[in-house]
Amino acid sequence: MVMSVEQPKAGSEKKTNQLTLIQAVTDGLRTMLQEDESVILLGEDIGKNGGVFRATDGLQEQFGEDRVIDTPLSEAGIIGTSIGMAVNGFKPVVEMQFFGFIYPAYEQIMTHVSRIRMRTMGHFTVPMVIRAPYGAGIRAPEVHSDSVEALFTHMPGIKVVCPSSAYDAKGLMIAAIEDPDPVLFLEPLRIYRANREEVPERKYTVEIGKGKKLKDGEDVTIIVWGAMVQVAMKAAEQAEKRGITCDVIDLRTLYPIDKDIIAESVQKTGRAVIVHEAHETGGVGNDIVSIINDTSFLYLKSPIERVTGFDVPVPLFALEDHYLPTPQRVYQAIEKVVHF
C-alpha cells in the first residue's frame, strides 16, 4: 500500500504544476527571491547560463545581476564570501556545480560555516544554503559523481537534506533558506528529470529533520534517500510479488536524522535494509545501524543488511552501473533478512 504523506487537503490548493525535481528547485529559489530581498544566489555560471544543469535558468534575467551573481571559479572563495554576507544580514544560496567540487571549500565549511553560532555564543548565525548536485548515474567524469554526504553529517552545526521528489525539493528548499543555520542541500543528479509530480505554486515548507513513509509493509524496513529511493521502491515491488511487504522510509534529512520514524518502523517489522550509493565504509548507513541498535535491538529478527556503493572511487562510464546499488541487489538483501 502506498501511503499519502504531507499532501495538501482537497480544495486547499489554488494551483499546482507538473514539475521535475530540478524545476521544483528552481521554483523554490524563485519563490524566496520574490519574497525576501535578503536572498542572494551565488555560483559559477548560474547567471547568464542558468547553471550547469539550468537550475537557475532565467533567474538572473528576472531578478538582476545583484541578486543572482556569477562568481569566479573558486569554491573556497564563494563559500568564504557567503559567510561574510550571511553574518551581515543576507541569506546566500550557493551552488557547487558538482558535489565533488566542494572539497576546496571544505575548510571554510568545517572551520567557519558550521561553527560561528557556537564561536559567537549565538550572537551570529550563518543562514546560508549550499546547493550541491550529487551522485552517480549520469556518465559524468571523475570527481563529478561522488556521494560524500557522511563528511558533512559528521560536522555538527550544519544540517544536511536530500529530497527525492519534486514536492519535497521545493518545500525543503524554502525551509532551508528560512533556516537560521547553514544547510547543505543535496540534489540527486540521476533523478533531476526522471519524472514529474504535482507541486503547488504557493509557498510551503517541508520540515527539516522529518522522514516520510513511502510504502507500508509488515516484513522489512528499507531505509533510503535521494536517487536510491526509486531503486528501493522497485525492489519492494519485486518482493511484494513474492509475498514480502516492505516499509520504505525516505529519510529526506540526513542530519539531523529522524530517529523516531526509523525506530517505529523497525520495531514493527523486525528487519532492516539500508540503501545508499555512497561507499560502505564510513557511510551514513553505519549511523543508521547504530540508531537501530540503540532504539530497537531487541525487536530485530535478523542482522541488519546494507546495500551500498563499493569502497572505491566512483568509476568511469563503463563500470558506473556496476558500482551503483540496483533493485536486484536490494531485493537479495530483502530475501536475506527475511530468510535468516
Side-chain angles (χ1 to χ4, degrees):
M1 177 178 71
V2 178
M3 301 189 69
S4 177
V5 180
E6 292 189 0
Q7 294 302 317
K9 295 179 181 179
S12 66
E13 297 300 334
K14 291 184 178 179
K15 189 173 182 181
T16 61
N17 294 312
Q18 285 276 339
L19 301 182
T20 62
L21 191 149
I22 193 169
Q23 288 173 329
V25 168
T26 308
D27 198 21
L29 294 172
R30 181 182 294 107
T31 297
M32 293 308 296
L33 284 165
Q34 288 172 335
E35 178 180 284
D36 188 343
E37 291 187 356
S38 68
V39 175
I40 294 179
L41 311 188
L42 301 93
E44 300 156 10
D45 298 322
I46 69 165
K48 185 175 180 180
N49 289 338
V52 66
F53 293 103
R54 304 299 181 261
T56 54
D57 191 28
L59 296 182
Q60 188 180 75
E61 182 179 0
Q62 183 176 356
F63 296 99
E65 295 182 3
D66 292 336
R67 303 282 308 282
V68 182
I69 303 171
D70 279 316
T71 66
L73 200 162
S74 173
E75 284 77 17
I78 299 168
I79 296 295
T81 300
S82 298
I83 296 168
M85 297 174 73
V87 299
N88 283 283
F90 291 97
K91 296 176 182 176
V93 181
V94 179
E95 178 183 293
M96 299 285 108
Q97 284 193 338
F98 290 86
F99 197 18
F101 293 2
I102 205 169
Y103 304 136
Y106 188 84
E107 186 274 335
Q108 290 281 348
I109 300 169
M110 169 61 88
T111 61
H112 299 298
V113 171
S114 64
R115 295 171 183 258
I116 285 179
R117 176 185 282 278
M118 182 194 72
R119 183 179 299 151
T120 65
M121 299 180 66
H123 291 289
F124 290 95
T125 62
V126 185
M128 65 182 290
V129 177
I130 304 170
R131 293 183 44 245
Y134 96 107
I138 64 163
R139 304 295 189 266
E142 185 184 8
V143 192
H144 290 64
S145 303
D146 292 5
S147 295
V148 288
E149 54 267 35
L151 293 178
F152 298 90
T153 59
H154 294 172
M155 187 186 292
I158 185 169
K159 300 178 177 73
V160 181
V161 302
C162 183
S164 67
S165 70
Y167 183 92
D168 287 347
K170 180 178 177 178
L172 283 169
M173 176 60 72
I174 294 171
I177 294 173
E178 292 187 330
D179 197 290
D181 291 302
V183 179
L184 175 62
F185 194 95
L186 300 177
E187 301 169 11
L189 288 169
R190 187 177 177 183
I191 58 173
Y192 254 162
R193 296 176 173 86
N195 48 49
R196 296 175 180 270
E197 70 172 330
E198 294 288 340
V199 176
E201 282 193 354
R202 65 174 176 87
K203 177 186 174 183
Y204 66 92
T205 60
V206 170
E207 184 178 355
I208 293 174
K210 292 293 183 182
K212 71 175 177 180
K213 185 182 291 188
L214 300 178
K215 193 174 179 63
D216 190 44
E218 299 295 328
D219 301 310
V220 184
T221 297
I222 306 177
I223 303 164
V224 67
W225 58 91
M228 293 297 100
V229 166
Q230 293 186 4
V231 172
M233 289 294 284
K234 290 178 181 177
E237 291 166 5
Q238 184 177 350
E240 194 164 10
K241 294 176 181 177
R242 291 164 174 79
I244 302 169
T245 62
C246 302
D247 263 8
V248 180
I249 305 298
D250 178 2
L251 287 180
R252 300 193 293 190
T253 300
L254 303 181
Y255 188 84
I257 285 180
D258 187 346
K259 297 180 181 180
D260 291 339
I261 197 171
I262 294 171
E264 181 181 358
S265 178
V266 173
Q267 289 173 20
K268 179 182 71 170
T269 66
R271 305 177 181 91
V273 175
I274 302 162
V275 185
H276 62 71
E277 65 176 276
H279 311 133
E280 181 180 75
T281 300
V284 175
N286 297 356
D287 296 319
I288 298 170
V289 171
S290 296
I291 290 169
I292 294 171
N293 283 337
D294 290 344
T295 64
S296 313
F297 179 77
L298 295 179
Y299 294 84
L300 290 176
K301 302 173 184 176
S302 66
I304 302 163
E305 282 292 312
R306 289 173 295 160
V307 183
T308 71
F310 301 106
D311 288 342
V312 299
V314 180
L316 295 177
F317 320 128
L319 295 175
E320 188 177 42
D321 289 343
H322 297 283
Y323 171 86
L324 288 167
T326 62
Q328 185 58 29
R329 284 179 60 195
V330 176
Y331 173 71
Q332 289 170 353
I334 293 170
E335 283 276 3
K336 187 173 180 179
V337 298
V338 168
H339 297 297
F340 174 73

